[in-house]
Amino acid sequence: QVQLVESGGGVVQPGRSLRLSCAASGFPFSTYAMNWVRQAPGRGLEWVAVISYDGKNKYYADSVKGRFTISKDNSASMLYLQMNSLRGEDTALYYCARGDYYNGRGSYELHGFDMWGQGTTVTVSS
Amino acid sequence: DIQMTQSPSSLSASVGDRVTITCRASQVLTNYLAWYQQQPGKVPKLLIYAGSTLQSGVPSRFSGSGSGTVFTLTISSLQPEDVATYYCQGYYSAPFTFGPGTKVDI
């Protein structure tokens, strides 16, 4: 079954840390870039971070740079988001989303975010 | 960084109407523009990528066009299940900014 399943969300105090996980199945995880996208209550979609298929390249939104770290374990088909120094404005539903496909021959297929998990909720509150 | 804007921010139309949403980017995207649909309480769903390529399984009443900095999403005949918020996104290089969304009601 082709799917992404997030976990690890919860209620956390400002300044504390949380680690989100995303379990992938049903597709060759090691050949895809992966993303985290969040959505604050009643708000639009905000892209958070991306990691390349091999885990070597990572990019972050300015709003989380220096506080969040994205990582990928291709052997376990797992994506992670380590969130430190959490703030109230980080309160959101966090989605993992599949991105670019690397075909193994030096080129990429760019097709947007074609698969999304159901999301995990993070609430930052004292 | 590329900024994305959408117009209108919301619209109300009747079943069977033709609906058009416009997305503008602050820089040239070539055709690396995607459209997503988020129905109320649901997960976002990819509708169109590369500006005009329909994602597998998406009804043919949805279409995309445009290039450079101006893109459009058209629903040729609005259906009740199309009630949703629609987002555009530039995805050539990070940051992969989403537009603010267009809410479509019937």
Side-chain angles (χ1 to χ4, degrees), chain B residues 10-46:
Chain B
S10 65
L11 65 91
S12 184
S14 300
V15 173
D17 281 356
R18 183 181 183 89
V19 169
T20 299
I21 299 168
T22 300
C23 174
R24 288 182 170 82
S26 61
Q27 301 174 35
V28 172
L29 293 177
T30 317
N31 68 335
Y32 294 107
L33 189 284
W35 289 97
Y36 300 87
Q37 176 195 62
Q38 188 175 32
Q39 295 170 320
K42 298 291 186 62
V43 175
K45 172 186 172 183
L46 177 66

PDB file of all heavy atoms in Angstrom, chain B residues 10-46:
ATOM      1  N   SER B  10     -11.461  34.370  -2.898  1.00  0.00           N
ATOM      2  CA  SER B  10     -12.616  33.488  -2.759  1.00  0.00           C
ATOM      3  C   SER B  10     -13.608  33.778  -3.872  1.00  0.00           C
ATOM      4  O   SER B  10     -13.587  34.862  -4.474  1.00  0.00           O
ATOM      5  CB  SER B  10     -13.293  33.664  -1.401  1.00  0.00           C
ATOM      6  OG  SER B  10     -13.836  34.958  -1.277  1.00  0.00           O
ATOM      7  N   LEU B  11     -14.443  32.790  -4.155  1.00  0.00           N
ATOM      8  CA  LEU B  11     -15.475  32.971  -5.159  1.00  0.00           C
ATOM      9  C   LEU B  11     -16.627  32.030  -4.867  1.00  0.00           C
ATOM     10  O   LEU B  11     -16.449  30.971  -4.254  1.00  0.00           O
ATOM     11  CB  LEU B  11     -14.926  32.753  -6.570  1.00  0.00           C
ATOM     12  CG  LEU B  11     -14.442  31.353  -6.938  1.00  0.00           C
ATOM     13  CD1 LEU B  11     -15.574  30.533  -7.553  1.00  0.00           C
ATOM     14  CD2 LEU B  11     -13.276  31.427  -7.915  1.00  0.00           C
ATOM     15  N   SER B  12     -17.790  32.421  -5.325  1.00  0.00           N
ATOM     16  CA  SER B  12     -18.970  31.586  -5.218  1.00  0.00           C
ATOM     17  C   SER B  12     -19.557  31.446  -6.612  1.00  0.00           C
ATOM     18  O   SER B  12     -19.730  32.439  -7.324  1.00  0.00           O
ATOM     19  CB  SER B  12     -19.983  32.202  -4.255  1.00  0.00           C
ATOM     20  OG  SER B  12     -21.080  31.332  -4.094  1.00  0.00           O
ATOM     21  N   ALA B  13     -19.830  30.236  -7.023  1.00  0.00           N
ATOM     22  CA  ALA B  13     -20.357  29.984  -8.359  1.00  0.00           C
ATOM     23  C   ALA B  13     -21.440  28.904  -8.282  1.00  0.00           C
ATOM     24  O   ALA B  13     -21.638  28.277  -7.242  1.00  0.00           O
ATOM     25  CB  ALA B  13     -19.221  29.563  -9.295  1.00  0.00           C
ATOM     26  N   SER B  14     -22.095  28.699  -9.388  1.00  0.00           N
ATOM     27  CA  SER B  14     -23.170  27.703  -9.454  1.00  0.00           C
ATOM     28  C   SER B  14     -22.663  26.420 -10.093  1.00  0.00           C
ATOM     29  O   SER B  14     -21.673  26.426 -10.845  1.00  0.00           O
ATOM     30  CB  SER B  14     -24.353  28.257 -10.268  1.00  0.00           C
ATOM     31  OG  SER B  14     -24.868  29.423  -9.666  1.00  0.00           O
ATOM     32  N   VAL B  15     -23.342  25.338  -9.798  1.00  0.00           N
ATOM     33  CA  VAL B  15     -23.014  24.057 -10.436  1.00  0.00           C
ATOM     34  C   VAL B  15     -23.115  24.219 -11.954  1.00  0.00           C
ATOM     35  O   VAL B  15     -24.071  24.806 -12.466  1.00  0.00           O
ATOM     36  CB  VAL B  15     -23.963  22.947  -9.948  1.00  0.00           C
ATOM     37  CG1 VAL B  15     -23.734  21.661 -10.737  1.00  0.00           C
ATOM     38  CG2 VAL B  15     -23.752  22.694  -8.454  1.00  0.00           C
ATOM     39  N   GLY B  16     -22.073  23.754 -12.623  1.00  0.00           N
ATOM     40  CA  GLY B  16     -22.019  23.857 -14.070  1.00  0.00           C
ATOM     41  C   GLY B  16     -21.273  25.071 -14.583  1.00  0.00           C
ATOM     42  O   GLY B  16     -20.975  25.151 -15.782  1.00  0.00           O
ATOM     43  N   ASP B  17     -20.977  26.017 -13.714  1.00  0.00           N
ATOM     44  CA  ASP B  17     -20.247  27.222 -14.126  1.00  0.00           C
ATOM     45  C   ASP B  17     -18.804  26.898 -14.463  1.00  0.00           C
ATOM     46  O   ASP B  17     -18.210  25.941 -13.953  1.00  0.00           O
ATOM     47  CB  ASP B  17     -20.269  28.274 -13.015  1.00  0.00           C
ATOM     48  CG  ASP B  17     -21.570  29.038 -12.941  1.00  0.00           C
ATOM     49  OD1 ASP B  17     -22.448  28.815 -13.804  1.00  0.00           O
ATOM     50  OD2 ASP B  17     -21.714  29.862 -12.004  1.00  0.00           O
ATOM     51  N   ARG B  18     -18.235  27.749 -15.288  1.00  0.00           N
ATOM     52  CA  ARG B  18     -16.800  27.709 -15.575  1.00  0.00           C
ATOM     53  C   ARG B  18     -16.121  28.629 -14.582  1.00  0.00           C
ATOM     54  O   ARG B  18     -16.526  29.788 -14.400  1.00  0.00           O
ATOM     55  CB  ARG B  18     -16.542  28.176 -17.004  1.00  0.00           C
ATOM     56  CG  ARG B  18     -15.105  28.117 -17.456  1.00  0.00           C
ATOM     57  CD  ARG B  18     -14.984  28.633 -18.887  1.00  0.00           C
ATOM     58  NE  ARG B  18     -13.642  28.534 -19.426  1.00  0.00           N
ATOM     59  CZ  ARG B  18     -13.176  27.464 -20.072  1.00  0.00           C
ATOM     60  NH1 ARG B  18     -13.946  26.414 -20.244  1.00  0.00           N
ATOM     61  NH2 ARG B  18     -11.945  27.461 -20.549  1.00  0.00           N
ATOM     62  N   VAL B  19     -15.083  28.101 -13.920  1.00  0.00           N
ATOM     63  CA  VAL B  19     -14.386  28.846 -12.871  1.00  0.00           C
ATOM     64  C   VAL B  19     -12.908  28.955 -13.238  1.00  0.00           C
ATOM     65  O   VAL B  19     -12.295  27.965 -13.654  1.00  0.00           O
ATOM     66  CB  VAL B  19     -14.540  28.131 -11.509  1.00  0.00           C
ATOM     67  CG1 VAL B  19     -13.605  28.728 -10.464  1.00  0.00           C
ATOM     68  CG2 VAL B  19     -15.989  28.189 -11.038  1.00  0.00           C
ATOM     69  N   THR B  20     -12.366  30.158 -13.067  1.00  0.00           N
ATOM     70  CA  THR B  20     -10.946  30.379 -13.363  1.00  0.00           C
ATOM     71  C   THR B  20     -10.263  31.049 -12.186  1.00  0.00           C
ATOM     72  O   THR B  20     -10.778  32.038 -11.638  1.00  0.00           O
ATOM     73  CB  THR B  20     -10.770  31.246 -14.616  1.00  0.00           C
ATOM     74  OG1 THR B  20     -11.354  30.563 -15.739  1.00  0.00           O
ATOM     75  CG2 THR B  20      -9.291  31.490 -14.907  1.00  0.00           C
ATOM     76  N   ILE B  21      -9.125  30.505 -11.813  1.00  0.00           N
ATOM     77  CA  ILE B  21      -8.300  31.048 -10.729  1.00  0.00           C
ATOM     78  C   ILE B  21      -6.944  31.400 -11.325  1.00  0.00           C
ATOM     79  O   ILE B  21      -6.381  30.630 -12.110  1.00  0.00           O
ATOM     80  CB  ILE B  21      -8.137  30.009  -9.601  1.00  0.00           C
ATOM     81  CG1 ILE B  21      -9.508  29.645  -9.007  1.00  0.00           C
ATOM     82  CG2 ILE B  21      -7.201  30.529  -8.525  1.00  0.00           C
ATOM     83  CD1 ILE B  21      -9.468  28.432  -8.097  1.00  0.00           C
ATOM     84  N   THR B  22      -6.423  32.551 -10.930  1.00  0.00           N
ATOM     85  CA  THR B  22      -5.142  33.024 -11.457  1.00  0.00           C
ATOM     86  C   THR B  22      -4.079  33.020 -10.377  1.00  0.00           C
ATOM     87  O   THR B  22      -4.347  33.376  -9.225  1.00  0.00           O
ATOM     88  CB  THR B  22      -5.283  34.439 -12.031  1.00  0.00           C
ATOM     89  OG1 THR B  22      -6.243  34.415 -13.094  1.00  0.00           O
ATOM     90  CG2 THR B  22      -3.949  34.942 -12.586  1.00  0.00           C
ATOM     91  N   CYS B  23      -2.895  32.601 -10.755  1.00  0.00           N
ATOM     92  CA  CYS B  23      -1.731  32.574  -9.862  1.00  0.00           C
ATOM     93  C   CYS B  23      -0.612  33.363 -10.514  1.00  0.00           C
ATOM     94  O   CYS B  23      -0.331  33.184 -11.715  1.00  0.00           O
ATOM     95  CB  CYS B  23      -1.312  31.122  -9.641  1.00  0.00           C
ATOM     96  SG  CYS B  23       0.214  30.884  -8.692  1.00  0.00           S
ATOM     97  N   ARG B  24      -0.016  34.236  -9.741  1.00  0.00           N
ATOM     98  CA  ARG B  24       1.097  35.033 -10.260  1.00  0.00           C
ATOM     99  C   ARG B  24       2.331  34.834  -9.383  1.00  0.00           C
ATOM    100  O   ARG B  24       2.236  34.876  -8.149  1.00  0.00           O
ATOM    101  CB  ARG B  24       0.731  36.515 -10.314  1.00  0.00           C
ATOM    102  CG  ARG B  24      -0.261  36.854 -11.413  1.00  0.00           C
ATOM    103  CD  ARG B  24      -0.577  38.336 -11.482  1.00  0.00           C
ATOM    104  NE  ARG B  24      -1.342  38.672 -12.682  1.00  0.00           N
ATOM    105  CZ  ARG B  24      -2.653  38.529 -12.807  1.00  0.00           C
ATOM    106  NH1 ARG B  24      -3.360  38.053 -11.804  1.00  0.00           N
ATOM    107  NH2 ARG B  24      -3.260  38.856 -13.929  1.00  0.00           N
ATOM    108  N   ALA B  25       3.464  34.636 -10.041  1.00  0.00           N
ATOM    109  CA  ALA B  25       4.744  34.474  -9.350  1.00  0.00           C
ATOM    110  C   ALA B  25       5.583  35.731  -9.513  1.00  0.00           C
ATOM    111  O   ALA B  25       5.497  36.417 -10.538  1.00  0.00           O
ATOM    112  CB  ALA B  25       5.489  33.275  -9.906  1.00  0.00           C
ATOM    113  N   SER B  26       6.400  36.029  -8.504  1.00  0.00           N
ATOM    114  CA  SER B  26       7.242  37.243  -8.555  1.00  0.00           C
ATOM    115  C   SER B  26       8.450  37.071  -9.462  1.00  0.00           C
ATOM    116  O   SER B  26       9.109  38.051  -9.811  1.00  0.00           O
ATOM    117  CB  SER B  26       7.687  37.610  -7.137  1.00  0.00           C
ATOM    118  OG  SER B  26       8.451  36.562  -6.569  1.00  0.00           O
ATOM    119  N   GLN B  27       8.743  35.819  -9.827  1.00  0.00           N
ATOM    120  CA  GLN B  27       9.841  35.523 -10.752  1.00  0.00           C
ATOM    121  C   GLN B  27       9.380  34.439 -11.720  1.00  0.00           C
ATOM    122  O   GLN B  27       8.423  33.732 -11.453  1.00  0.00           O
ATOM    123  CB  GLN B  27      11.080  35.028  -9.997  1.00  0.00           C
ATOM    124  CG  GLN B  27      11.645  35.989  -8.977  1.00  0.00           C
ATOM    125  CD  GLN B  27      12.781  35.366  -8.185  1.00  0.00           C
ATOM    126  OE1 GLN B  27      13.559  34.578  -8.716  1.00  0.00           O
ATOM    127  NE2 GLN B  27      12.891  35.723  -6.922  1.00  0.00           N
ATOM    128  N   VAL B  28      10.109  34.334 -12.823  1.00  0.00           N
ATOM    129  CA  VAL B  28       9.764  33.325 -13.827  1.00  0.00           C
ATOM    130  C   VAL B  28       9.924  31.919 -13.253  1.00  0.00           C
ATOM    131  O   VAL B  28      10.946  31.597 -12.650  1.00  0.00           O
ATOM    132  CB  VAL B  28      10.651  33.494 -15.082  1.00  0.00           C
ATOM    133  CG1 VAL B  28      10.430  32.332 -16.039  1.00  0.00           C
ATOM    134  CG2 VAL B  28      10.338  34.816 -15.760  1.00  0.00           C
ATOM    135  N   LEU B  29       8.886  31.104 -13.422  1.00  0.00           N
ATOM    136  CA  LEU B  29       8.902  29.722 -12.943  1.00  0.00           C
ATOM    137  C   LEU B  29       9.129  28.726 -14.069  1.00  0.00           C
ATOM    138  O   LEU B  29       9.160  27.527 -13.805  1.00  0.00           O
ATOM    139  CB  LEU B  29       7.564  29.388 -12.277  1.00  0.00           C
ATOM    140  CG  LEU B  29       7.213  30.110 -10.985  1.00  0.00           C
ATOM    141  CD1 LEU B  29       5.819  29.683 -10.522  1.00  0.00           C
ATOM    142  CD2 LEU B  29       8.236  29.810  -9.903  1.00  0.00           C
ATOM    143  N   THR B  30       9.292  29.187 -15.270  1.00  0.00           N
ATOM    144  CA  THR B  30       9.228  28.312 -16.444  1.00  0.00           C
ATOM    145  C   THR B  30       7.866  27.641 -16.359  1.00  0.00           C
ATOM    146  O   THR B  30       6.867  28.328 -16.386  1.00  0.00           O
ATOM    147  CB  THR B  30      10.386  27.306 -16.450  1.00  0.00           C
ATOM    148  OG1 THR B  30      11.590  27.955 -16.090  1.00  0.00           O
ATOM    149  CG2 THR B  30      10.544  26.679 -17.824  1.00  0.00           C
ATOM    150  N   ASN B  31       7.790  26.325 -16.231  1.00  0.00           N
ATOM    151  CA  ASN B  31       6.475  25.715 -16.071  1.00  0.00           C
ATOM    152  C   ASN B  31       6.380  24.880 -14.794  1.00  0.00           C
ATOM    153  O   ASN B  31       5.512  24.045 -14.661  1.00  0.00           O
ATOM    154  CB  ASN B  31       6.127  24.853 -17.283  1.00  0.00           C
ATOM    155  CG  ASN B  31       7.014  23.633 -17.378  1.00  0.00           C
ATOM    156  OD1 ASN B  31       8.127  23.632 -16.867  1.00  0.00           O
ATOM    157  ND2 ASN B  31       6.538  22.586 -18.015  1.00  0.00           N
ATOM    158  N   TYR B  32       7.268  25.141 -13.829  1.00  0.00           N
ATOM    159  CA  TYR B  32       7.273  24.358 -12.595  1.00  0.00           C
ATOM    160  C   TYR B  32       6.263  24.928 -11.607  1.00  0.00           C
ATOM    161  O   TYR B  32       6.608  25.460 -10.553  1.00  0.00           O
ATOM    162  CB  TYR B  32       8.675  24.314 -12.000  1.00  0.00           C
ATOM    163  CG  TYR B  32       9.643  23.560 -12.868  1.00  0.00           C
ATOM    164  CD1 TYR B  32      10.624  24.227 -13.594  1.00  0.00           C
ATOM    165  CD2 TYR B  32       9.556  22.177 -12.986  1.00  0.00           C
ATOM    166  CE1 TYR B  32      11.498  23.534 -14.408  1.00  0.00           C
ATOM    167  CE2 TYR B  32      10.424  21.473 -13.806  1.00  0.00           C
ATOM    168  CZ  TYR B  32      11.395  22.166 -14.508  1.00  0.00           C
ATOM    169  OH  TYR B  32      12.256  21.474 -15.319  1.00  0.00           O
ATOM    170  N   LEU B  33       5.006  24.769 -12.010  1.00  0.00           N
ATOM    171  CA  LEU B  33       3.901  25.292 -11.243  1.00  0.00           C
ATOM    172  C   LEU B  33       2.888  24.171 -11.033  1.00  0.00           C
ATOM    173  O   LEU B  33       2.501  23.485 -11.981  1.00  0.00           O
ATOM    174  CB  LEU B  33       3.260  26.465 -11.990  1.00  0.00           C
ATOM    175  CG  LEU B  33       2.188  27.344 -11.319  1.00  0.00           C
ATOM    176  CD1 LEU B  33       0.822  26.667 -11.243  1.00  0.00           C
ATOM    177  CD2 LEU B  33       2.615  27.789  -9.929  1.00  0.00           C
ATOM    178  N   ALA B  34       2.498  23.997  -9.773  1.00  0.00           N
ATOM    179  CA  ALA B  34       1.524  22.960  -9.429  1.00  0.00           C
ATOM    180  C   ALA B  34       0.286  23.593  -8.821  1.00  0.00           C
ATOM    181  O   ALA B  34       0.348  24.674  -8.229  1.00  0.00           O
ATOM    182  CB  ALA B  34       2.136  21.957  -8.453  1.00  0.00           C
ATOM    183  N   TRP B  35      -0.828  22.887  -8.969  1.00  0.00           N
ATOM    184  CA  TRP B  35      -2.095  23.276  -8.338  1.00  0.00           C
ATOM    185  C   TRP B  35      -2.558  22.131  -7.423  1.00  0.00           C
ATOM    186  O   TRP B  35      -2.495  20.954  -7.809  1.00  0.00           O
ATOM    187  CB  TRP B  35      -3.171  23.530  -9.389  1.00  0.00           C
ATOM    188  CG  TRP B  35      -2.978  24.766 -10.203  1.00  0.00           C
ATOM    189  CD1 TRP B  35      -2.402  24.856 -11.439  1.00  0.00           C
ATOM    190  CD2 TRP B  35      -3.378  26.099  -9.840  1.00  0.00           C
ATOM    191  NE1 TRP B  35      -2.414  26.164 -11.873  1.00  0.00           N
ATOM    192  CE2 TRP B  35      -3.013  26.943 -10.918  1.00  0.00           C
ATOM    193  CE3 TRP B  35      -4.014  26.664  -8.726  1.00  0.00           C
ATOM    194  CZ2 TRP B  35      -3.264  28.328 -10.899  1.00  0.00           C
ATOM    195  CZ3 TRP B  35      -4.257  28.019  -8.712  1.00  0.00           C
ATOM    196  CH2 TRP B  35      -3.878  28.835  -9.797  1.00  0.00           C
ATOM    197  N   TYR B  36      -3.032  22.513  -6.243  1.00  0.00           N
ATOM    198  CA  TYR B  36      -3.529  21.553  -5.271  1.00  0.00           C
ATOM    199  C   TYR B  36      -4.953  21.919  -4.880  1.00  0.00           C
ATOM    200  O   TYR B  36      -5.321  23.100  -4.832  1.00  0.00           O
ATOM    201  CB  TYR B  36      -2.658  21.552  -4.008  1.00  0.00           C
ATOM    202  CG  TYR B  36      -1.220  21.204  -4.266  1.00  0.00           C
ATOM    203  CD1 TYR B  36      -0.305  22.192  -4.616  1.00  0.00           C
ATOM    204  CD2 TYR B  36      -0.766  19.891  -4.166  1.00  0.00           C
ATOM    205  CE1 TYR B  36       1.013  21.882  -4.879  1.00  0.00           C
ATOM    206  CE2 TYR B  36       0.562  19.573  -4.418  1.00  0.00           C
ATOM    207  CZ  TYR B  36       1.435  20.571  -4.778  1.00  0.00           C
ATOM    208  OH  TYR B  36       2.750  20.258  -5.033  1.00  0.00           O
ATOM    209  N   GLN B  37      -5.714  20.895  -4.550  1.00  0.00           N
ATOM    210  CA  GLN B  37      -7.060  21.055  -4.042  1.00  0.00           C
ATOM    211  C   GLN B  37      -7.101  20.547  -2.599  1.00  0.00           C
ATOM    212  O   GLN B  37      -6.611  19.451  -2.323  1.00  0.00           O
ATOM    213  CB  GLN B  37      -8.044  20.235  -4.882  1.00  0.00           C
ATOM    214  CG  GLN B  37      -9.476  20.239  -4.380  1.00  0.00           C
ATOM    215  CD  GLN B  37     -10.295  19.134  -5.037  1.00  0.00           C
ATOM    216  OE1 GLN B  37     -10.016  17.944  -4.887  1.00  0.00           O
ATOM    217  NE2 GLN B  37     -11.325  19.519  -5.777  1.00  0.00           N
ATOM    218  N   GLN B  38      -7.661  21.346  -1.713  1.00  0.00           N
ATOM    219  CA  GLN B  38      -7.860  20.883  -0.346  1.00  0.00           C
ATOM    220  C   GLN B  38      -9.334  21.026   0.007  1.00  0.00           C
ATOM    221  O   GLN B  38      -9.814  22.143   0.260  1.00  0.00           O
ATOM    222  CB  GLN B  38      -6.986  21.638   0.654  1.00  0.00           C
ATOM    223  CG  GLN B  38      -7.059  21.024   2.058  1.00  0.00           C
ATOM    224  CD  GLN B  38      -6.124  21.673   3.041  1.00  0.00           C
ATOM    225  OE1 GLN B  38      -5.840  22.869   2.965  1.00  0.00           O
ATOM    226  NE2 GLN B  38      -5.625  20.901   4.008  1.00  0.00           N
ATOM    227  N   GLN B  39     -10.032  19.922  -0.009  1.00  0.00           N
ATOM    228  CA  GLN B  39     -11.435  19.929   0.408  1.00  0.00           C
ATOM    229  C   GLN B  39     -11.505  20.127   1.918  1.00  0.00           C
ATOM    230  O   GLN B  39     -10.545  19.821   2.634  1.00  0.00           O
ATOM    231  CB  GLN B  39     -12.100  18.625  -0.012  1.00  0.00           C
ATOM    232  CG  GLN B  39     -12.179  18.450  -1.525  1.00  0.00           C
ATOM    233  CD  GLN B  39     -12.621  17.060  -1.934  1.00  0.00           C
ATOM    234  OE1 GLN B  39     -12.213  16.069  -1.338  1.00  0.00           O
ATOM    235  NE2 GLN B  39     -13.459  16.990  -2.971  1.00  0.00           N
ATOM    236  N   PRO B  40     -12.609  20.635   2.436  1.00  0.00           N
ATOM    237  CA  PRO B  40     -12.723  20.913   3.873  1.00  0.00           C
ATOM    238  C   PRO B  40     -12.381  19.688   4.717  1.00  0.00           C
ATOM    239  O   PRO B  40     -12.942  18.611   4.522  1.00  0.00           O
ATOM    240  CB  PRO B  40     -14.187  21.320   4.024  1.00  0.00           C
ATOM    241  CG  PRO B  40     -14.563  21.874   2.685  1.00  0.00           C
ATOM    242  CD  PRO B  40     -13.821  21.048   1.690  1.00  0.00           C
ATOM    243  N   GLY B  41     -11.451  19.857   5.629  1.00  0.00           N
ATOM    244  CA  GLY B  41     -11.054  18.796   6.546  1.00  0.00           C
ATOM    245  C   GLY B  41     -10.231  17.685   5.930  1.00  0.00           C
ATOM    246  O   GLY B  41      -9.967  16.676   6.595  1.00  0.00           O
ATOM    247  N   LYS B  42      -9.811  17.872   4.684  1.00  0.00           N
ATOM    248  CA  LYS B  42      -9.070  16.801   4.003  1.00  0.00           C
ATOM    249  C   LYS B  42      -7.611  17.196   3.745  1.00  0.00           C
ATOM    250  O   LYS B  42      -7.205  18.342   3.928  1.00  0.00           O
ATOM    251  CB  LYS B  42      -9.747  16.493   2.653  1.00  0.00           C
ATOM    252  CG  LYS B  42     -11.179  15.987   2.776  1.00  0.00           C
ATOM    253  CD  LYS B  42     -11.238  14.626   3.379  1.00  0.00           C
ATOM    254  CE  LYS B  42     -12.637  14.034   3.391  1.00  0.00           C
ATOM    255  NZ  LYS B  42     -13.194  13.856   2.036  1.00  0.00           N
ATOM    256  N   VAL B  43      -6.858  16.206   3.298  1.00  0.00           N
ATOM    257  CA  VAL B  43      -5.447  16.388   2.955  1.00  0.00           C
ATOM    258  C   VAL B  43      -5.340  17.049   1.571  1.00  0.00           C
ATOM    259  O   VAL B  43      -6.147  16.758   0.691  1.00  0.00           O
ATOM    260  CB  VAL B  43      -4.745  15.021   2.939  1.00  0.00           C
ATOM    261  CG1 VAL B  43      -3.303  15.148   2.471  1.00  0.00           C
ATOM    262  CG2 VAL B  43      -4.807  14.377   4.315  1.00  0.00           C
ATOM    263  N   PRO B  44      -4.371  17.926   1.365  1.00  0.00           N
ATOM    264  CA  PRO B  44      -4.189  18.491   0.025  1.00  0.00           C
ATOM    265  C   PRO B  44      -3.949  17.400  -1.016  1.00  0.00           C
ATOM    266  O   PRO B  44      -3.333  16.372  -0.725  1.00  0.00           O
ATOM    267  CB  PRO B  44      -2.962  19.388   0.176  1.00  0.00           C
ATOM    268  CG  PRO B  44      -2.928  19.736   1.623  1.00  0.00           C
ATOM    269  CD  PRO B  44      -3.428  18.514   2.332  1.00  0.00           C
ATOM    270  N   LYS B  45      -4.411  17.668  -2.215  1.00  0.00           N
ATOM    271  CA  LYS B  45      -4.309  16.711  -3.306  1.00  0.00           C
ATOM    272  C   LYS B  45      -3.750  17.414  -4.534  1.00  0.00           C
ATOM    273  O   LYS B  45      -4.223  18.497  -4.898  1.00  0.00           O
ATOM    274  CB  LYS B  45      -5.698  16.155  -3.615  1.00  0.00           C
ATOM    275  CG  LYS B  45      -5.808  15.291  -4.844  1.00  0.00           C
ATOM    276  CD  LYS B  45      -7.273  14.952  -5.098  1.00  0.00           C
ATOM    277  CE  LYS B  45      -7.482  14.252  -6.422  1.00  0.00           C
ATOM    278  NZ  LYS B  45      -8.922  13.989  -6.698  1.00  0.00           N
ATOM    279  N   LEU B  46      -2.727  16.810  -5.154  1.00  0.00           N
ATOM    280  CA  LEU B  46      -2.146  17.376  -6.371  1.00  0.00           C
ATOM    281  C   LEU B  46      -3.120  17.224  -7.528  1.00  0.00           C
ATOM    282  O   LEU B  46      -3.580  16.116  -7.819  1.00  0.00           O
ATOM    283  CB  LEU B  46      -0.833  16.669  -6.694  1.00  0.00           C
ATOM    284  CG  LEU B  46      -0.122  17.086  -7.981  1.00  0.00           C
ATOM    285  CD1 LEU B  46       0.366  18.534  -7.891  1.00  0.00           C
ATOM    286  CD2 LEU B  46       1.045  16.143  -8.281  1.00  0.00           C
TER     287      LEU B  46
END
